[in-house]
């Protein structure tokens, strides 16, 4: 069932301006719409955006279309004519057109938005945006490909826990979820969660970083499409553990 908020937002913006999965906001609708959502991811950009970064942003928006508590939006800024939304650009210090697109996450209850930083152009990806949103708002669950909510939450608790005995108890919970997993992909993913926990217990928390580094090196080589998908799922699952350590 489509959320009533979705229709509320659509009523505020011209449909012809919508990129798939996003809504277009302006100076009059910005605060009104943001007040209705737990989190809003906003891309500040030129009035008619295009290019690979815009494409990645839209892909992310499409991937979270069923997450009711998260809105993905765009603000088009014009430096000519009526200079639409220039006031928003000044308000959020996004006046330098050379830096566009600029992405910010607005979380209800937080006085300032979180800034998405992509040091290199190739860092502006769906996966990086997803990790950024997951890191900065724990109340919104966004499942990456191959991830499952119950196991993701267990991975976060496991990663934050420092008591070895309690970690073993959490590992047993994960093994039980693995036993109950249905279908090939869920079973395969559950196996990765469990084996990652075992490796962390064996080698320490540094396993997360070293394993991510190892997989990323492999992905830079000549890898088949199927293997690339498998390794991407592994990275997504490792992120469920790593996000806790990135915060510390």
């Amino acid at each position: 069932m489509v959320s009533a908020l979705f229709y509320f937002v659509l009523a505020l913006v011209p449909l012809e301006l919508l990129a798939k999965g996003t809504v277009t906001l302006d100076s009059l609708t910005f605060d009104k719409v943001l007040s209705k959502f737990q989190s809003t991811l906003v891309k500040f950009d030129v009035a008619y955006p295009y290019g690979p970064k815009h494409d990645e942003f839209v892909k992310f928006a499409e991937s979270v279309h069923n997450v009711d508590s998260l809105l993905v939006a765009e603000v088009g800024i014009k430096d000519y004519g009526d200079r639409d939304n220039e006031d928003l650009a000044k308000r959020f210090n996004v006046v330098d057109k050379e830096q566009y697109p600029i992405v910010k996450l607005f979380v209800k209850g937080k006085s300032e938005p979180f800034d998405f930083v992509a040091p290199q152009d190739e860092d502006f990806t769906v996966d990086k945006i997803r990790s950024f949103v997951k890191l900065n708002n724990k109340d919104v669950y966004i499942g990456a490909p191959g991830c499952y909510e119950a196991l993701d939450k267990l991975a976060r608790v496991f990663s934050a826990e420092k008591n070895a005995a309690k970690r073993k108890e959490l590992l047993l919970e994960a093994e039980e979820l693995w036993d109950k997993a249905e279908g090939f992909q869920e079973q395969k993913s559950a196996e990765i969660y469990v084996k990652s926990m075992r490796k962390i217990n064996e080698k320490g928390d540094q396993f997360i970083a070293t394993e991510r580094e190892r997989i990323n090196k492999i992905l830079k080589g000549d890898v088949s499409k199927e293997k690339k998908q498998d390794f991407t799922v592994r990275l997504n699952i490792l992120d469920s553990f790593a996000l806790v350590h990135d915060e510390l």
Side-chain angles (χ1 to χ4, degrees):
M1 180 178 295
V2 179
S3 168
L5 279 176
F6 180 74
Y7 289 114
F8 168 81
V9 171
L10 286 184
L12 295 175
V13 296
L15 287 176
E16 66 271 14
L17 294 181
L18 294 176
K20 193 173 183 181
T22 74
V23 298
T24 301
L25 303 179
D26 59 29
S27 301
L28 300 180
T29 61
F30 190 89
D31 291 311
K32 184 184 293 186
V33 172
L34 262 66
S35 69
K36 305 296 181 182
F37 290 87
Q38 172 63 32
S39 296
T40 306
L41 188 71
V42 181
K43 177 167 72 71
F44 297 88
D45 209 339
V46 295
Y48 303 101
Y50 62 93
K53 291 184 179 180
H54 174 69
D55 293 342
E56 288 294 304
F57 188 80
V58 173
K59 287 178 186 176
F60 171 77
E62 292 179 24
S63 74
V64 297
H65 72 278
N66 60 345
V67 182
D68 288 341
S69 55
L70 174 67
L71 176 70
V72 182
E74 297 183 84
V75 173
I77 301 167
K78 291 183 180 178
D79 57 2
Y80 58 90
D82 292 336
R83 309 185 79 84
D84 294 341
N85 302 321
E86 189 176 54
D87 56 334
L88 288 176
K90 291 178 179 178
R91 176 179 168 187
F92 296 110
N93 193 28
V94 291
V95 295
D96 187 355
K97 190 175 180 179
E98 296 300 317
Q99 294 183 6
Y100 290 171
I102 297 173
V103 175
K104 293 178 180 283
L105 178 68
F106 295 81
V107 178
K108 188 175 289 188
K110 301 291 184 180
S111 59
E112 296 294 331
F114 297 96
D115 295 322
F116 173 65
V117 179
Q120 307 294 331
D121 287 349
E122 57 266 29
D123 293 324
F124 200 109
T125 66
V126 172
D127 290 338
K128 294 291 186 181
I129 296 171
R130 183 185 295 111
S131 293
F132 164 72
V133 175
K134 288 174 68 175
L135 174 62
N136 290 296
N137 192 350
K138 314 303 183 301
D139 296 324
V140 174
Y141 176 73
I142 301 174
C147 292
Y148 294 88
E149 185 170 6
L151 285 160
D152 262 359
K153 289 181 177 179
L154 197 58
R156 292 182 67 83
V157 174
F158 178 91
S159 199
E161 180 59 64
K162 300 305 176 187
N163 182 279
K166 289 183 179 180
R167 275 192 167 183
K168 288 181 179 179
E169 292 176 5
L170 293 167
L171 173 58
L172 287 175
E173 288 186 44
E175 290 172 341
E176 290 176 2
L177 289 175
W178 183 10
D179 289 338
K180 296 175 183 177
E182 299 179 354
F184 174 79
Q185 184 56 66
E186 187 174 349
Q187 291 174 359
K188 183 64 177 177
S189 292
E191 179 182 0
I192 296 171
Y193 282 99
V194 169
K195 289 186 175 180
S196 295
M197 290 181 180
R198 291 172 180 171
K199 286 291 186 182
I200 293 170
N201 281 344
E202 177 187 340
K203 298 184 177 182
D205 292 333
Q206 64 270 20
F207 167 78
I208 300 166
T210 55
E211 182 65 1
R212 289 166 85 189
E213 183 179 357
R214 183 186 74 84
I215 293 174
N216 280 317
K217 285 182 179 178
I218 293 173
L219 288 173
K220 290 179 180 178
D222 186 13
V223 182
S224 68
K225 183 178 179 180
E226 291 75 16
K227 282 292 185 182
K228 185 174 182 180
Q229 290 176 339
D230 288 344
F231 281 125
T232 299
V233 167
R234 287 179 181 273
L235 286 175
N236 290 341
I237 291 173
L238 287 172
D239 275 347
S240 300
F241 294 91
L243 287 172
V244 173
H245 294 287
D246 290 343
E247 297 169 29
L248 299 178

